[in-house]
Amino acid sequence: MVLVRTTPPRPVDVTAVFPELAPSARPVIRLHPRAGSPSVEDSSVGGPLLWPAAEPWPHCEGPHQDGGFRRPLAEVRLDRRVRARLHRDPHGPGLTPEEEAVRARNAAAARERHDAGSPRPAERPVPLLPVAQLYVRDIPLLRPPGGADLLQVLWCPYDHDPDHKPSTALFWRSAAEVGDVLGTPPEPYEAEYPGYVPEPCLLAPEAISEYPNSLDLSPELQQALEDWGRWQAADAGVDDSYAEYPPEFYNGELANAPGWKVGGWPPWGRTDPNPRFCAVCAVRMVPLLTVASFEWDGGTHGWVPYEDRAAASAAGHVAGLDPAQPTGVEVGSTDNLQLYVCPADPEHPHTDLVQ
């Protein structure tokens, strides 16, 4: 099955109202991750990686903070499995016999670790978790170095200073040069939070255009956006509820697309614009990948793809699953983790920022 997701046209042609915004348009590819069973040959979120069997799996040496919320990966996955079953059958049992057996095995393994006096998992090198695998054939907006045609993103599922976020690692490689594939990569025993454990998802890449957040605009353009009379004169049909602060409509419906995406503009909000500069050549870095906690929220509901409209509008149920969070990922306080790379050389060290 080929996944397709289609972003509705924006409610207003923003360049018709503000022609001076036209040069600021940037291409972006919305990834639209949705639950699935990806293989190593697929672009995915949280799926298996095309990783060479002869290449050591990356580990994080720490140090690792202790926030007191850590949960074994096996428990996180069991909990999600139970919730998915209850989504299908809200009147089913709290746990099936099979799920009870899995929970018992998990508990026995934890007791065995404790009785053996094993060091805390975070006190040893921690295997990284796959976050995303992106083939250039699916995401042509990527600009890989040399002959690479594949980007692999992993992270350590513990908080790290100074910003209390997972530590990320990027690997560019040529898929054709990968011989034998590592069949069973090592995994961390636990994660700082369940939101640091991505669910396997297939992608439905879609190319659109984005415009800068209002905070990234010149003072003159910011002032123009706040001129309600200009919106009215353009007969843009913007709801009168935005009359006191039109930039709210611009930011939520016209500027940045929500969700996982490649390229585009930074989704400011937690802080004012905070440019990132390459540690090697001092060039201003550009957004590579946005790791999103949600595909949409109440303020960006107009970006919901046509194919998800029914699910997005459906009433909740006992399982509490949210169609806007198919990846299970949650960074910060429902924020985004944006990865930046050097446009001069993507192999220079990347950086990231929570927004």
Side-chain angles (χ1 to χ4, degrees):
M1 181 180 69
V2 177
L3 285 175
V4 175
R5 290 295 183 272
T6 311
T7 299
R10 297 301 77 219
V12 173
D13 179 0
V14 70
T15 59
V17 185
F18 302 96
E20 55 268 54
L21 273 172
S24 301
R26 279 187 186 176
V28 64
I29 294 183
R30 299 187 74 186
L31 298 181
H32 298 306
R34 299 296 183 266
S37 300
S39 74
V40 297
E41 302 295 334
D42 293 314
S43 292
S44 65
V45 163
L49 304 184
L50 187 77
W51 194 271
E55 183 175 326
W57 188 262
H59 287 63
C60 177
E61 300 291 336
H64 300 103
Q65 301 174 11
D66 188 355
F69 300 101
R70 296 173 179 170
R71 290 188 62 194
L73 264 63
E75 282 297 312
V76 172
R77 289 168 175 159
L78 175 61
D79 179 61
R80 289 175 177 175
R81 203 165 100 194
V82 171
R83 290 170 61 203
R85 176 177 56 78
L86 290 174
H87 176 70
R88 298 188 299 269
D89 180 15
H91 303 292
L95 289 174
T96 65
E98 179 188 1
E99 292 160 356
E100 290 274 16
V102 172
R103 177 156 290 176
R105 288 198 298 271
N106 292 342
R111 286 195 300 271
E112 184 177 345
R113 292 176 60 87
H114 181 270
D115 294 343
S118 300
R120 291 199 55 147
E123 294 172 356
R124 298 174 294 178
V126 175
L128 301 191
L129 268 177
V131 174
Q133 174 167 272
L134 306 176
Y135 283 90
V136 174
R137 66 169 189 259
D138 302 320
I139 319 293
L141 197 57
L142 292 171
R143 294 293 180 264
D149 60 359
L150 175 61
L151 171 64
Q152 294 169 328
V153 181
L154 301 91
W155 68 21
C156 173
Y158 290 89
D159 275 342
H160 292 72
D161 285 330
D163 298 318
H164 306 287
K165 62 180 182 293
S167 176
T168 54
L170 305 185
F171 296 86
W172 299 95
R173 68 174 76 251
S174 167
E177 294 177 2
V178 177
D180 293 334
V181 178
L182 182 62
T184 308
E187 280 197 331
Y189 172 72
E190 63 187 10
E192 189 82 35
Y193 303 100
Y196 291 174
V197 184
E199 280 290 291
C201 289
L202 292 166
L203 307 181
E206 179 196 23
I208 64 169
S209 293
E210 277 192 343
Y211 295 91
N213 182 280
S214 62
L215 296 175
D216 260 323
L217 299 176
S218 68
E220 294 77 17
L221 259 176
Q222 291 187 40
Q223 186 174 2
L225 283 181
E226 294 175 359
D227 182 355
W228 181 241
R230 184 162 173 180
W231 290 92
Q232 289 181 307
D235 194 24
V238 181
D239 192 291
D240 286 345
S241 62
Y242 292 102
E244 291 189 11
Y245 191 60
E248 182 178 339
F249 174 77
Y250 169 78
N251 287 328
E253 298 291 346
L254 308 179
N256 301 108
W260 289 64
K261 57 189 179 182
V262 168
W265 282 91
W268 304 116
R270 178 183 279 264
T271 69
D272 287 343
N274 187 0
R276 321 298 282 172
F277 295 93
C278 178
V280 175
C281 64
V283 169
R284 184 165 178 171
M285 305 178 87
V286 295
L288 172 67
L289 173 67
T290 298
V291 175
S293 294
F294 287 89
E295 289 296 289
W296 60 81
D297 59 22
T300 58
H301 206 268
W303 292 92
V304 177
Y306 286 125
E307 296 83 355
D308 293 315
R309 287 283 165 112
S313 302
H317 51 75
V318 67
L321 298 181
D322 191 336
Q325 200 177 32
T327 65
V329 167
E330 191 162 332
V331 180
S333 300
T334 66
D335 294 313
N336 300 304
L337 177 65
Q338 190 155 46
L339 307 185
Y340 290 79
V341 291
C342 174
D345 187 341
E347 291 191 296
H348 286 174
H350 76 286
T351 189
D352 53 39
L353 183 67
V354 172
Q355 282 294 324

